[in-house]
Each structure stands twice: as C-alpha cells, then as structure tokens.
Amino acid sequence: MKWGRLLAFLAMVAVVIGLTISTGPNIWKSIPLGLDLKGGVDLLYAVDTPKGHPLDNTGKAALVRAIEMRVNSLGVSSPIIQLEGRNQLGQDQIRVEVAGVKNQQEAVNVIGATAQLTIYGSAKIDPKTGKVVPVGPPLATGADLKSNAHWVVDQQTGQNAVAIEFKNANLWTSITKRYLQKPIYVFLNGQLLTNPVIEQVMYTGQSEISGGNLTTPQACMDLANELNAGALPYPLTLESETSVGPTLGATSLHRTLIAGVIAVVLIFAFMIAAYRMAGLIADIALVAYGYLTLLTFAGLHVVLTLSGLAALILGVGIAVDANIITYERIKDEVRNGRSLRSAVRIGNKNAFRTIVDSNATTFIAGLIMYIFGGEGDVRGFAVALMVGIIVSLLTAVLFARAMLLTFTASQAVKNPWWYGAPRGVVKNREAKV
C-alpha cells in the first residue's frame, strides 16, 4: 500500500466534506430567493410614454435602473424586472417581482410613485382653483440633490423634516443669497409643500424640508426614499398586483428541498450499490458539485427560483451520468483483461469525449432556452441548468477522475469488484497495480 497516495485521497475527501459542512449553510443563506420561494409581490405596470415615441433601448435601461434604485430603498435586493408585451391600449408593460418585501403596499407606493420636487422663487394663487401655483422657471429640482436624503428632527422647532444636500453647493448658496429675507416655494408633485423665508446664506449645500404632510417620521422617510431613488423617466400605471405570502413560498421551498434530498439519497445509494468504492468516490464528487454550484450562484448573485432549484436538482443527475459513463468504460477495459490502474486510466480517457458531447448538447439546449425563452422562470431554469453543466464537468470529469486515479494508485483496494466489475471477471491475483 502506498500511504502517500492514500493520504492524498483522504485529504481531498476531508477538504470537500469540511468545506461543505463548515461553509455550505452560510452560502445557501446568501443566495437570494425568488418570489415563488420567499413570498413577495408581483407588480405589472403600464409605461406611459409620449404618443409617437415608443420605449427605446435607452429608455428601457433608464427605467430599469430607476426601479432597481427604488426597490433597493425598500431594504430588499435582487428584484426581477422584465419588459412584457403591450396591453390593449398599445402601452409597453413592465413586470416587477420583489421577493421578501414585508409591506407590500409600501412597495407599490415606492416603485410607482414619482417625487417631483421643485423650488421656485415666486408663486401665486390660481383664481380658478384657489391653489398656489408656481411662477417662472424653477430655481432647482430633485435632480440637483444628492441621493442621501434622510429623516431628521429639527433641533430648533422639534419638527420632523427631510435633510437634503445639493450636488453643487454653489447652486444653493446663490439661491439663498438671491432670496435672502425672502420666501421660496417648495412644490412636491405640483402641490405647495412649504414656503420658508431664507434667513441666512447657506454655503454647505445642506438644508431641511418640513411642513405639509411631513408630520411623521414615516412620511419623511417615504419622501427621502423617493428623492433618493430619483424621478422615473416615464410615469407608471399599476395594472395588476399579485401577492405571494411568505408561508406559501416557504411551503414550496420546503417541499422542493424534500424532493431534492430524496432524489440525492437515492442516487447516492444507487451509485454505491452499482459501483461500490467507485460509487462512493462519485458521491463525494457530487457533494463537491453541489457545493461549487451553490458557491457559483452566490458569487453571481443568481436569484434562485422554484424552476432554478428544479434545474439544480436535475443537474445532480447530469453530473452522476458522467460518472456512470466513465465507470462503464472502466468495466469494459477490465473485461478486456487490462490491469486495474490501466483500466481506470484508459476508461477515463475513452469516456471523456462522450461526456463532453452529451453535456454540450444539453448546454446548447439551455442556451437556446435562455435566448429565446423570454424572461422569468424559463431563463431561471436555463441559467441554473447551464451553471450545473459547467460545474459537473469540473467535478465529475476532473475531480472525480483525480480522486479515482489517486485511490487506485494507493493500492488500498485491488479487487476490480470494488470498482463495479462483476465477480469473477478478473481474479485478484491477476490485478496488476
């Protein structure tokens, strides 16, 4: 027995098992779950574009960025934003899936709301409506503000307020100089919010907004979030809202995981029953496959949906299929009278082309689904499938092969029966190691 090779084999096993047990749960928790697994809200909006100006690629990108910023302000991440077809009125549609959001009505308000903040130097009362309306061009807008607005309590009055900061401090300085001891008029979505009198010149670009309906901390935080998210490039009209409760999502996840565990256990048992020690090595390689796949998902920030989880479990079967092809080639070489080490080496070589070809065809199918399958579940399934195929080639072809070659070279087990060969094919004394 060659102890160095055996220790190398045991070290590889220890690394796989140790990493999986120690870091696997944390990696799993770091993978964002989709709406169908975590619960949340599915929103379908109509995009109100100007007549004769359909939504172009630039507008689509700007709209997606604005919605992502608004979703991030809710304290959740990894939203699924996808452009749909057009409704009966010919309007473009956009679907937003937000998983894990606790206050669904808040999500509706934040995503679709448009905080149009404008500051004017003059205003008047409209005789027809009796409302205060601005006069002249605006001195500044919400686009001039940094994305760091937040709720504060005014130290002098004790009122709730929203702290703001201008991108260009000189702009606010010039406004306060020009309107020193004069009022300015702050409008929010066309409604007068407050009309404070400038009492001193401000040089830092920082100020506070109060008054109107900004009487509670929540109202101030809502406005701050809307200001930080910026204005939407196009107005949105909510067409439908579908809620998925966290209990339903957790049930789907639980049932899918149970099905996955049962499938993996049956695969492990089959491999050990059919290929003995070689099957056990394949099972260890499958553990490495699962670990690396989850690590890839976490690193790429892939949102794991129910269809993606199904593809992940399917990938276990694809990965073990490569081991089965290899072991059958090894058994053929043993039947032809080759020594165990020679059979392992040549069997792996002969199986390589077949494994690559079979996985390449499946990968092409996944790529076609990703390109032409539209957005949502189909793409989620395709991404998980393609990631699983790439990882399975690394683990089943390279890692499992390395472990098998190292173990056979250790001469710890010389009987080909332990590698899947039928009894009596090759006698122990004829095994050349």
Side-chain angles (χ1 to χ4, degrees), residues 70-89:
R70 289 166 178 259
V71 172
N72 291 337
S73 71
L74 294 170
V76 297
S77 59
S78 303
I80 297 177
I81 304 172
Q82 55 196 34
L83 293 167
E84 305 266 333
R86 296 187 175 183
N87 59 16
Q88 295 179 350
L89 301 178

Side-chain angles (χ1 to χ4, degrees), residues 9 47 87 100 149 181 192 218 244 263 350 400:
F9 170 78
V47 184
N87 59 16
Q181 303 302 324
L192 180 65
Q218 187 61 50
V244 178
N350 293 339

Side-chain angles (χ1 to χ4, degrees), residues 74-385:
L74 294 170
V76 297
S77 59
S78 303
I80 297 177
I81 304 172
Q82 55 196 34
L83 293 167
E84 305 266 333
R86 296 187 175 183
N87 59 16
Q88 295 179 350
L89 301 178
Q91 296 173 306
D92 292 288
Q93 294 175 306
I94 188 168
R95 184 177 300 277
V96 183
E97 295 182 5
V98 186
V101 63
K102 296 180 180 179
N103 190 332
Q104 296 180 1
Q105 187 57 46
E106 180 187 6
V108 174
N109 295 337
V110 170
I111 293 173
T114 302
Q116 298 285 358
L117 183 73
T118 49
I119 301 176
Y120 291 87
S122 179
K124 66 178 182 180
I125 298 178
D126 189 330
K128 295 182 180 180
T129 62
K131 296 182 178 180
V132 179
V133 295
V135 176
L139 304 176
T141 67
D144 298 312
L145 304 179
K146 293 183 178 180
S147 299
N148 61 353
H150 57 280
W151 162 62
V152 295
V153 176
D154 190 286
Q155 298 296 324
Q156 296 180 348
T157 64
Q159 291 182 329
N160 293 296
V162 177
I164 59 174
E165 183 177 0
F166 283 79
K167 297 176 181 177
N168 183 3
N170 293 330
L171 174 61
W172 185 231
T173 300
S174 64
I175 293 175
T176 54
K177 282 183 178 179
R178 181 179 175 184
Y179 290 90
L180 185 63
Q181 303 302 324
K182 298 178 182 179
I184 60 172
Y185 300 85
V186 181
F187 285 81
L188 179 64
N189 298 331
Q191 302 292 325
L192 180 65
L193 181 64
T194 182
N195 57 332
V197 175
I198 302 298
E199 298 180 352
Q200 61 181 359
V201 178
M202 303 179 189
Y203 295 95
T204 63
Q206 297 176 344
S207 186
E208 295 178 1
I209 301 175
S210 60
N213 63 344
L214 301 178
T215 56
T216 64
Q218 187 61 50
C220 293
M221 287 187 286
D222 290 343
L223 176 58
N225 288 336
E226 293 176 18
L227 292 176
N228 292 336
L232 290 169
Y234 304 100
L236 299 179
T237 302
L238 182 63
E239 291 194 335
S240 67
E241 174 185 354
T242 304
S243 299
V244 178
T247 302
L248 180 60
T251 301
S252 299
L253 178 61
H254 180 68
R255 290 179 176 177
T256 306
L257 289 178
I258 289 178
V261 169
I262 293 174
V264 170
V265 170
L266 291 176
I267 290 173
F268 279 23
F270 170 80
M271 292 301 294
I272 293 175
Y275 300 102
R276 276 75 75 176
M277 188 64 197
L280 180 60
I281 293 176
D283 290 345
I284 297 170
L286 285 178
V287 174
Y289 159 81
Y291 178 82
L292 290 178
T293 302
L294 294 180
L295 188 64
T296 303
F297 277 27
L300 296 178
H301 302 288
V302 175
V303 179
L304 187 61
T305 62
L306 193 59
S307 58
L309 187 57
L312 180 62
I313 297 172
L314 178 63
V316 176
I318 295 175
V320 79
D321 184 57
N323 294 115
I324 292 175
I325 293 173
T326 300
Y327 294 162
E328 289 300 320
R329 294 293 185 273
I330 293 174
K331 287 166 65 175
D332 290 341
E333 297 302 323
V334 171
R335 289 190 185 98
N336 292 333
R338 294 187 182 275
S339 67
L340 180 58
R341 292 180 61 182
S342 178
V344 169
R345 185 174 62 254
I346 297 176
N348 273 281
K349 181 180 179 181
N350 293 339
F352 180 77
R353 179 65 180 271
T354 304
I355 294 171
V356 172
D357 288 347
S358 64
N359 280 274
T361 55
T362 309
F363 187 88
I364 291 172
L367 185 62
I368 292 174
M369 282 193 295
Y370 181 83
I371 296 174
F372 299 103
E375 301 283 350
D377 291 342
V378 175
R379 276 197 168 183
F381 180 87
V383 169
L385 182 62

Side-chain angles (χ1 to χ4, degrees), residues 6-31:
L6 181 60
L7 291 176
F9 170 78
L10 294 176
M12 286 189 281
V13 175
V15 168
V16 171
I17 302 301
L19 283 176
T20 302
I21 294 176
S22 61
T23 64
N26 291 332
I27 293 175
W28 169 256
K29 292 178 182 178
S30 67
I31 299 175

